[in-house]
Amino acid sequence: MPPRTTDSTSGRPDDDRSPSTSPVHPEPEGRPGDSAAGAGADSGAVGSGAVGLGAAGPDTVGPGAVGPGAVGPDTTNSGSAGSNSADSGTVGSNSADSGSAGSNSADSGSAGSNSADSDTAGSSTAGSRSGGDGDGTAGDRPDESDSGSGPDAARRVAAVRRAADGGRRWRALHVAGCAVLLAVAVTGGAIAVGGVQDQGAGVDAVSAAGALSPGELARGDLDAGIASLQKHLRAQPRDHGSWATLGLAYVEQARTKGDPSRYPQAERALKRSLDLEPGNDQALAGRAALAAARHDFPGALSYADRALKQNPYSERALCTRIDALVELGRYDDAAQAADTADDRRPGVPVFTRYAYVHELRGDVRTARAVLERALSSANAPGDVAYVATALGQLAWNQGEYRTALGHYARALAADDAYLPALEGRARAQAASGDRAAAVKGLEQVVARFPLPGPLVALGELYEDRGADGDRAKAGDQYALVDAWTALARAGGANTDLETAMAAADHGDKKEALRAARAEWDRRHSVHTADALAWALHVNGRDEEALPYARRATATGYRNAVFLYHRGVIERATGADREARTHLKAALDLNPGFSPLGAREARTALKDLEGNR
């Protein structure tokens, strides 16, 4: 599954205050020594979600397909909590990773065709609307019509779903046509479905005259919160704090609703905040979250460091810093940053990242203990759903399907519409042998948000089932992945990791290698190493692939997809003994890691055993 993606973190109303001098936080065995994360520390693994498949990680797609959360092969992501994403990405009050999403993470695909920019601070075209505060700045007045609700959106969603039911019509479309339908599906879905729900909390409690805090926004109805902020900013256009909160809300909306067209809006709102109050930490932390959501992890790290210079206790900046270091493959620095965040701002957003850093280093015991403590301290439904899903993804990665299903059930009891949990449950059902329930569950997920992780997972289930028309149905899912990547790029997101993993198994192999090399040039995480190894393999370059496959497994991260990829590459290079070891390890760890990949692993292992 993709790496857990954490493209964003839920803010808290007291984000600018130091925590109590005696915070209650986990003290797991084997915890690294306390140390302050320096301004230049890197982060990286977790974030890729946002898109669960979060910030998208390499596991997001492919035989290991992306798991809940994350953005990417990186989400729950990237196969796995997508990643936990991170996928993607992932705010404490809302999401897991891995996803993910998607996956995130974060970066999900909504059409940029709706000129969704027009919503941020008024207009997508400078000067198309008169400015608001008398200083001549175009687009200062937010447009309430973009807050994310309305009957037209619901009608569009219904129309797209009817179209999706007509298999023959879908198969007649070219990728460009798929992109158009995906655009309508995602933007319409983002408007119709609504944000994280926590009845009675947050938005409704805020007076009409006041702006919302990040914490209140995260715990309430996201769309209603954005509408309230827009209304407030029309009356108080020089309120830099509310512009920053609006920018963060757009980042969160992009992550939770698969709508990357919100990223340009977020960028404008955050820029407006910084124009009004240069160097304010809330806007800098928002720029960090936005950069992470777009998979610009060096940029995310830089903005997070700037925010922390202004406010060392900024929860969002602390969390984004961990995410960026993880995604950059700087795991020692990420562990140090997680310790620092745990000391300064212990809480669900920090605990989940702390756990993921340990999981990436093979310390599953500590990761599970920290997540269980986080779950015991979670109160808001969004926090419960987020942490329970992370526990489900961790269990799924270890092949503990019954345990994973129990965690997903708890997540869905808290929020029955939480997509990473719905996706994770479907994956666990498939691995447990209940393919019918898995197909039905993933069909429901992609009908709402057609993101790469669940699209690939559903396509592989269709291929594995092999009924009449299933191959064509699978092809439709893979074509929509291409459409999603195009739409995400239009929103300013980097999608090379998702492209590399999806195209290697289900698309243009040369494009997969191009994208994997490009991503490796940017960052050296375990997910990018695995993606590059696999892309080289499918292009017949196994000798070149082997060092990257070894690097992907070098941290001790227990990921069946990585082990499977390494075993296949070793077999291709004539290292039969090593191939047997790693193929067996993949199947022992998580025998249902992918319907197609697991089947191929069993076949290859049987052939190797027969040739001994």
Side-chain angles (χ1 to χ4, degrees), residues 58 73 489 494-504 508-539 544-545 548:
R489 287 191 193 105
N494 165 34
T495 63
D496 279 336
L497 189 55
E498 292 88 341
T499 295
M501 291 303 298
D508 184 335
K509 294 176 174 53
K510 290 183 179 179
E511 173 62 11
L513 182 54
R514 180 214 62 77
R517 286 195 185 282
E519 194 65 16
W520 181 256
D521 287 344
R522 297 185 190 100
R523 54 190 177 114
H524 293 175
S525 71
V526 292
H527 292 98
T528 51
D530 175 70
L532 181 52
W534 196 241
L536 286 163
H537 162 72
V538 299
N539 280 278
E544 190 178 350
Y548 294 104

Side-chain angles (χ1 to χ4, degrees), residues 98-114:
S98 294
S100 242
S103 253
N104 357 77
S105 162
D107 304 330
S108 56
S110 130
S113 63
N114 270 15

Side-chain angles (χ1 to χ4, degrees), residues 119-122 140-147 206-212 223-239 242-243 246 250:
D119 229 18
T120 290
D140 283 351
R141 297 189 308 181
D143 180 3
E144 190 170 357
S145 66
D146 247 70
S147 60
V206 179
S207 69
L212 300 172
D223 296 334
I226 288 174
S228 178
L229 281 167
Q230 291 169 334
K231 180 178 180 181
H232 170 76
L233 285 167
R234 280 195 295 275
Q236 301 291 335
R238 300 191 66 82
D239 181 351
S242 291
W243 280 109
L246 180 61
Y250 283 135

